[in-house]
Amino acid sequence: MTTIPQTIPPDPASPMSGRRWLICALLLFAATVNYMDRQVIALLKPTLQIQFGWTDDGYGNIVVAFQFAYGAGLLFVGKLIDRLGTRKGFSLAVFVWSIAAMTHAAASSVFQFAAARFSLGLGESGSFPASVKAVAEWFPKRERALATGIFNSGSNIGAMVTPLVVPWITYRFGWRMAFIATGALGLVWVLCWLSLYHRPEQDTQVSSAELAYIQSDPADPQTTASSAVPWRTLLTLRQAWAVALGKFFTDPIWWVYLFWMPDFLSRNLGLNLRGMALPLFVIYSGASVGSIGGGWLSSSLLKRGWTLNRSRKTALLVCALTVTPIMIAARTTSPWLAVSVIAIAAGAHQGWSA
């Protein structure tokens, strides 16, 4: 196979403002709504556990239903989005998960909640593949890690906003309305996306200077924009296995943070639904800073002339080392030390992901 050059040649000066950052903002909004819909059930677990008599095993099964559907969906959703295009494919994914989020309001048993979570997982599996594809369409390589870090921080913004919004909605209108309100946000996003998103060469709002900057990367000698890579080819690439195994061993930890953190705060710190807001805000603020910081570090090293290999792996190493103090969280007797360590680890994890 032809080797991809490990350095990126100089490019035209980056336009200070541009349409591509509006697209990035839409991706940020989508990731925020995505994680709001995911986290509602984790926040409401103590409430729903009392009302419906759930055991931890029952709640665990509900979580597994989401994760199984999300994992299975990733096997085919990328190809579907490639076929439909980013505009239509992403719209379909958000529409499916928004309706699924709202159906939680009609559930009253573990099985019904699990079915709703399964549908939510299928829809949400399209979020990050579509977002990454949109970044590839709208950003040159030297800005993609930063753009990915920005939209990826939406997952942490969603996790911060949810503890502030859901308790208020729940105490004022009931827990069912919390699912309906957060799901409805996705439908609003679909309308915004369909009205604003087009490929850069088809967007009439893109200046010629910005379009030239977006397209400033040299042509990839291995492939063209329209070529498809068969599975059997992907499975022979060491790079594909490196990325897959890296995500395989690290992503499950994020699910622990997302779905079990409110339960940890409730049991270990004795916090109620309202009392969790500040600790969760601190934790996911750290995650948001780490997400943007990881993307910034990688892109910054690239702009200083580092090779792709060295800049990406240095950023990964920094994040991997920064996450290790998490071991203190389960052993300390200081609540805020635990929260601070978890916030640092969450930031490092999201920096790694970016």
Side-chain angles (χ1 to χ4, degrees):
M1 298 189 62
T2 306
T3 302
I4 297 177
Q6 286 295 294
T7 58
I8 297 178
D11 62 320
S14 172
M16 294 302 292
S17 62
R19 185 75 167 180
R20 69 191 187 284
W21 296 111
L22 174 62
I23 300 302
C24 191
L26 284 173
L27 299 178
L28 172 68
F29 183 17
T32 300
V33 175
N34 183 302
Y35 269 73
M36 289 182 70
D37 290 334
R38 291 187 196 192
Q39 204 193 17
V40 171
I41 198 165
L43 279 169
L44 293 178
K45 175 183 179 288
T47 301
L48 299 176
Q49 197 164 18
I50 293 173
Q51 179 165 341
F52 296 114
W54 290 353
T55 63
D56 281 346
D57 286 344
Y59 175 70
N61 290 334
I62 293 172
V63 170
V64 167
F66 172 88
Q67 291 175 292
F68 179 81
Y70 190 87
L74 285 173
L75 296 177
F76 69 84
V77 72
K79 190 173 184 66
L80 177 64
I81 290 170
D82 284 338
R83 181 172 297 175
L84 295 177
T86 312
R87 184 172 182 267
K88 293 180 181 178
F90 207 172
S91 299
L92 177 62
V94 179
F95 178 80
V96 169
W97 96 51
S98 298
I99 297 300
M102 298 172 76
T103 60
H104 285 66
S108 59
S109 67
V110 168
F111 176 80
Q112 291 173 349
F113 274 101
R117 297 304 285 181
F118 185 90
S119 302
L120 182 70
L122 282 179
E124 291 200 344
S125 66
S127 178
F128 283 87
S131 294
V132 169
K133 186 174 178 66
V135 166
E137 291 176 350
W138 273 88
F139 288 85
K141 289 180 180 178
R142 62 189 40 78
E143 284 187 343
R144 288 179 190 173
L146 176 60
T148 300
I150 292 173
F151 87 68
N152 189 53
S153 70
S155 61
N156 310 303
I157 295 173
M160 287 189 293
V161 171
T162 309
L164 302 176
V165 173
V166 168
W168 181 83
I169 295 175
T170 300
Y171 284 117
R172 190 172 181 85
F173 302 105
W175 64 265
R176 298 182 191 276
M177 187 55 67
F179 286 110
I180 294 173
T182 53
L185 283 176
L187 300 180
V188 173
W189 182 91
V190 170
L191 296 177
C192 295
W193 181 256
L194 288 175
S195 64
L196 294 173
Y197 189 88
H198 301 278
R199 289 179 62 92
E201 60 271 18
Q202 300 170 343
D203 196 316
T204 58
Q205 302 300 314
V206 178
S207 67
S208 57
E210 184 177 14
L211 183 60
Y213 179 73
I214 293 170
Q215 299 175 342
S216 62
D217 289 324
D220 189 335
Q222 289 196 63
T223 185
T224 65
S226 60
S227 63
V229 182
W231 276 95
R232 62 181 178 273
T233 301
L234 285 176
L235 294 177
T236 64
L237 298 178
R238 292 170 64 249
Q239 298 93 325
W241 283 102
V243 173
L245 290 174
K247 296 293 284 182
F248 179 83
F249 285 114
T250 57
D251 275 10
I253 307 305
W254 183 247
W255 297 119
V256 174
Y257 293 162
L258 187 67
F259 290 127
W260 292 94
M261 191 57 60
D263 192 61
F264 172 82
L265 296 176
S266 176
R267 296 190 184 200
N268 289 46
L269 306 184
L271 300 177
N272 59 21
L273 190 58
R274 285 188 174 128
M276 293 179 193
L278 182 58
L280 287 174
F281 182 84
V282 170
I283 290 170
Y284 292 112
S285 292
S288 186
V289 170
S291 177
I292 297 174
W296 170 85
L297 176 60
S298 176
S299 295
S300 177
L301 295 176
L302 268 176
K303 290 180 179 180
R304 293 187 180 193
W306 288 37
T307 64
L308 285 169
N309 187 58
R310 187 183 178 197
S311 61
R312 303 293 197 223
K313 289 181 179 176
T314 298
L316 288 170
L317 176 62
V318 170
C319 293
L321 294 176
T322 306
V323 80
T324 53
I326 189 65
M327 294 181 287
I328 299 172
R331 300 177 182 275
T332 181
T333 56
S334 170
W336 280 107
L337 177 58
V339 169
S340 299
V341 169
I342 294 170
I344 293 171
H349 185 285
Q350 289 296 278
W352 167 284
S353 183

